[in-house]
Amino acid sequence: MPERQPYQGTARKLVLAFDVGTTYSGVSYSILDPGEPPIISGVTRFPATEHVGGNSKIPSIVYYDQDGVPRAFGGEALQESVIEKAEDDEWIKVEWWKLHLRPKSMVGSNSIRDQDIPPLPPNTTAIQVLSDFMAYLFQCTKTYIQETHASGRDMWESFEDNIDFVLSHPNGWEGPQQTQMRRAAVRAGLVPDSPEGQARVQLVTEGEASLHFCLSTEKTAGSFKVEELSTSALTYMTISPPSLQEIAPVECRLQGAVFVTKRAREFLAVKLTGSKFGTPEDIAQMTSEFDKTTKLRFSNPTEPSYIRFGTVKDRDLAFNIKSGQLKLAGTDVADLFEPSDSSNSRSRGKSAKAGNQAHQWGFAASDWLFSRLQEHIKPLNLNFCRPDSHTNKAVADGAVAFYLDHRVSARVAKYTYGTRCAIEFNKLDEQHKLRAASAVPRPSGRMVLPNAFSAILSNGTTVSEAKEFRKDFITECAERTSCDTIATEIVCYRGNANNPRWIDSEPGMFSNLCTVHADTSQVSKTISPRRGFAGLQFYRQQFSIVLMFGMTELQAQISWMENGEEKRGPATVVFDQILEEI
């Protein structure tokens, strides 16, 4: 990739990218100096993590005391002194907490239940943990920059009030999760709770961040596919240069590396039943060692694998434990990978025709998974590679590159988006006659059928960043004041029908994505009364809902005509509330 153009701003600015992962997290940044080409750097020094994650990441672990106050983060939470104090003071260890935020509709969500995830402390939500963790990452970054750069403290003061943030998230996350991330950023004190503050926060999917990292490190030609294989999710993007447009819907499955470890824990608990080493403490120790070493080294199911967990005196020959290590059949270890490998195979089969190169990070550190990917891809005549270094900061670096370069100009809609509405009853239409009993009158005297679906954007549509999708609607009210505001549900259809029209035909495939609220008081002032059924007076309001899906977040506006001229006002998008168990 050619050198970036000099920064055109008039004042120094800092861009921070937080990659908050299920098991590890990292930070990358770029100091933007006017007239200088931006350079992406990573935070490579965190407290108590000299030998963790190549110094570029910290464990996504937090200890809370009984009052819900965070006491230790990251590598500090793994120190012996902290573990001892946590046990003495009954602190609660929180890990894998990011999975509590997952959309229940995400592919693979059924493979993990809430009770399978380590619980959160009483009266503590995942959003609170996220905000506490981001506040810690910010403080670590501040310390790193102040101590690493020449005149670091003066440098920090020069942009302390001019910091933009890029937060990455799995491709399967949707509007509600994005809203919660923004809320966490405010709660963490990163930005103020204002439109100006929110403008300083950008969100990017992990797949797109990985794409930008790929473009800065690899030579690519023709259409290609990005596979971002992280600890919790598998993400697939199919991209077509030179304009970098998605040419197939993004897929994201909950079958990342953390689920291999989860299956290993369950397997060990059953296998060691009856052994003196089958205690919860020993199982936890073995699972940790499996996650750090065995899982990454495994490459051949015909050869045994080993989990070292004790001393040379620890042995239980009946359970294949000798010299402090457990011997496992290679086929048993391969079975632990199988659901993730199968998920990879299904996705590749869907989009194989779209690309000729593949790239992957994170979970691809597994030699076994990499070899399996090569087996599946070779018959498809695809070139396949993985970066050979610094993959643990791919998402964080790529998130900064996304902010600087913005290379993706079009994306493909994963689902069909529209709204729940009513349509005028037509007694000649067979589908209408089936629903005749549900027809209701409107103030104008017309009969309408509720529970119809009006599509605004169809699944598989390529959407440029500037492309707008709009639908015209009317509403009838008995009182003029009822037209001062509009609230319209945006509904997501996840089924396979090309033209879904009725919500009652597949009720399980429709879900409310969000509600668009708009202040239309200026519109209502221009409405003249009408006469309807039995001479009753009513008001009819016509407006358009304008949706923009080309960015990484849904944007919306309300549009209306006033004195022959189109007027627009911002519409507030409120995503459905997510209830969290506490």
Side-chain angles (χ1 to χ4, degrees):
M1 182 176 179
E3 185 180 70
R4 293 182 173 90
Q5 295 298 311
Y7 174 55
Q8 299 299 313
T10 58
R12 174 180 278 177
K13 174 184 287 190
L14 175 67
V15 179
L16 289 183
F18 290 170
D19 169 26
V20 180
T22 302
T23 54
Y24 288 95
S25 299
V27 181
S28 293
Y29 66 94
S30 182
I31 299 172
L32 307 184
D33 282 313
E36 297 293 330
I39 297 175
I40 299 175
S41 304
V43 176
T44 58
R45 186 172 61 250
F46 292 94
T49 56
E50 290 78 6
H51 305 290
V52 176
N55 294 341
S56 293
K57 285 196 172 186
I58 61 172
S60 302
I61 299 174
V62 186
Y63 268 114
Y64 285 89
D65 65 19
Q66 291 296 314
D67 295 323
V69 178
R71 293 296 186 178
F73 296 86
E76 296 173 283
L78 300 180
Q79 292 179 303
E80 289 81 358
S81 59
V82 171
I83 294 174
E84 181 179 8
K85 185 170 180 58
E87 184 175 349
D88 293 341
D89 295 347
E90 298 183 339
W91 292 353
I92 302 173
K93 183 180 181 181
V94 181
E95 54 185 343
W96 294 18
W97 47 268
K98 183 180 173 182
L99 293 177
H100 286 285
L101 296 171
R102 74 196 187 284
K104 297 301 186 288
S105 60
M106 189 172 174
V107 177
S109 289
N110 293 334
S111 64
I112 185 168
R113 302 165 297 173
D114 287 342
Q115 53 265 41
D116 295 328
I117 308 171
L120 298 172
N123 302 314
T124 301
T125 67
I127 292 301
Q128 180 179 337
V129 181
L130 176 60
S131 64
D132 290 340
F133 201 81
M134 288 200 299
Y136 176 75
L137 289 177
F138 180 76
Q139 186 57 49
C140 290
T141 302
K142 178 180 179 179
T143 301
Y144 177 83
I145 291 177
Q146 288 180 333
E147 294 180 352
T148 304
H149 290 266
S151 302
R153 294 186 182 277
D154 293 336
M155 174 181 285
W156 182 267
E157 291 178 0
S158 69
F159 50 60
E160 189 169 16
D161 297 324
N162 193 18
I163 303 176
D164 284 356
F165 296 87
V166 188
L167 310 180
S168 61
H169 62 80
N171 285 65
W173 284 21
E174 299 172 351
Q177 290 73 37
Q178 293 173 330
T179 298
Q180 291 183 95
M181 291 184 72
R182 287 185 171 278
R183 191 180 307 142
V186 171
R187 186 168 181 168
L190 304 183
V191 296
D193 189 10
S194 65
E196 295 76 18
Q198 288 299 328
R200 292 168 46 200
V201 178
Q202 294 188 27
L203 302 182
V204 62
T205 62
E206 292 170 356
E208 193 161 325
S210 295
L211 164 68
H212 281 81
F213 177 81
C214 163
L215 292 172
S216 65
T217 58
E218 302 288 339
K219 294 182 179 179
T220 58
S223 299
F224 61 97
K225 184 176 175 184
V226 176
E227 301 190 5
E228 199 280 324
L229 313 182
S230 64
T231 52
S232 62
L234 313 179
T235 299
Y236 312 89
M237 297 179 67
T238 309
I239 304 293
S240 179
S243 59
L244 292 183
Q245 299 180 358
E246 287 183 1
I247 56 178
V250 174
E251 294 186 60
C252 187
R253 301 171 183 271
L254 274 175
Q255 277 298 346
V258 72
F259 294 96
V260 177
T261 302
K262 171 181 174 290
R263 289 188 286 270
R265 185 195 304 258
E266 295 168 350
F267 170 77
L268 292 172
V270 173
K271 180 177 179 62
L272 296 179
T273 299
S275 170
K276 64 180 179 179
F277 297 107
T279 65
E281 293 77 17
D282 285 327
I283 295 297
Q285 174 66 17
M286 292 181 194
T287 303
S288 177
E289 291 302 316
F290 173 88
D291 186 65
K292 290 185 294 186
T293 58
T294 309
K295 181 173 67 176
L296 300 180
R297 294 174 180 171
F298 174 71
S299 60
N300 190 342
T302 64
E303 299 177 356
S305 292
Y306 298 87
I307 301 177
R308 179 170 294 280
F309 68 95
T311 68
V312 293
K313 296 182 179 180
D314 293 324
R315 55 194 291 123
D316 191 339
L317 298 181
F319 291 87
N320 286 327
I321 296 175
K322 185 186 301 184
S323 300
Q325 63 180 8
L326 169 66
K327 180 180 179 181
L328 298 175
T331 52
D332 288 338
V333 180
D335 288 342
L336 302 178
F337 282 86
E338 196 279 331
S340 298
D341 180 44
S342 297
S343 188
N344 271 291
S345 301
R346 288 193 297 271
S347 179
R348 283 191 301 276
K350 292 181 180 179
S351 57
K353 296 180 181 179
N356 61 17
Q357 294 193 27
H359 304 260
Q360 57 174 22
W361 295 269
F363 197 4
S366 162
D367 291 335
W368 168 244
L369 183 61
F370 183 69
S371 65
R372 293 288 291 164
L373 287 169
Q374 288 180 312
E375 288 180 17
H376 288 297
I377 284 176
K378 187 176 180 180
L380 302 175
N381 195 29
L382 298 178
N383 297 319
F384 182 65
C385 64
R386 58 176 173 176
D388 59 359
S389 63
H390 304 298
T391 58
N392 58 3
K393 64 172 186 173
V395 172
D397 275 11
V400 179
F402 161 82
Y403 179 96
L404 298 174
D405 305 327
H406 224 60
R407 299 291 299 277
V408 179
S409 61
R411 298 169 177 83
V412 177
K414 292 189 295 182
Y415 307 112
T416 295
Y417 301 92
T419 187
R420 183 182 284 105
C421 64
I423 60 175
E424 190 166 354
F425 177 69
N426 180 359
K427 62 181 181 181
L428 301 179
D429 188 301
E430 292 297 327
Q431 290 297 318
H432 285 219
K433 288 192 287 186
L434 290 174
R435 298 171 174 83
S438 63
V440 295
R442 301 300 294 146
S444 60
R446 298 176 304 115
M447 298 295 290
V448 299
L449 292 173
N451 290 321
F453 178 71
S454 178
I456 299 176
L457 172 65
S458 297
N459 174 28
T461 302
T462 299
V463 184
S464 67
E465 291 189 352
K467 177 69 173 178
E468 295 181 350
F469 294 83
R470 63 189 299 155
K471 275 279 187 177
D472 297 329
F473 299 93
I474 61 170
T475 183
E476 296 178 355
C477 311
E479 301 292 337
R480 187 196 298 269
T481 54
S482 299
C483 298
D484 286 348
T485 60
I486 295 174
T488 303
E489 292 178 341
I490 303 300
V491 177
C492 177
Y493 171 69
R494 304 173 190 273
N496 298 319
N498 293 326
N499 184 29
R501 291 292 292 142
W502 300 99
I503 290 178
D504 59 9
S505 63
E506 296 179 277
M509 293 292 102
F510 293 89
S511 60
N512 289 348
L513 178 65
C514 62
T515 303
V516 180
H517 295 266
D519 179 358
T520 55
S521 56
Q522 295 302 315
V523 187
S524 65
K525 294 177 182 178
T526 67
I527 301 175
S528 300
R530 300 179 180 224
R531 292 294 173 181
F533 180 71
L536 295 177
Q537 179 175 286
F538 73 98
Y539 297 86
R540 175 178 290 174
Q541 183 182 40
Q542 183 171 337
F543 61 94
S544 299
I545 296 293
V546 183
L547 299 179
M548 290 152 281
F549 294 83
M551 301 296 288
T552 56
E553 295 178 84
L554 171 66
Q555 296 178 323
Q557 287 182 317
I558 192 78
S559 169
W560 68 93
M561 299 301 295
E562 185 175 325
N563 297 324
E565 182 181 353
E566 184 187 33
K567 300 287 186 179
R568 288 198 179 190
T572 303
V573 180
V574 180
F575 289 94
D576 285 1
Q577 184 179 10
I578 293 180
L579 300 179
E580 296 186 65
E581 185 177 10
I582 61 174

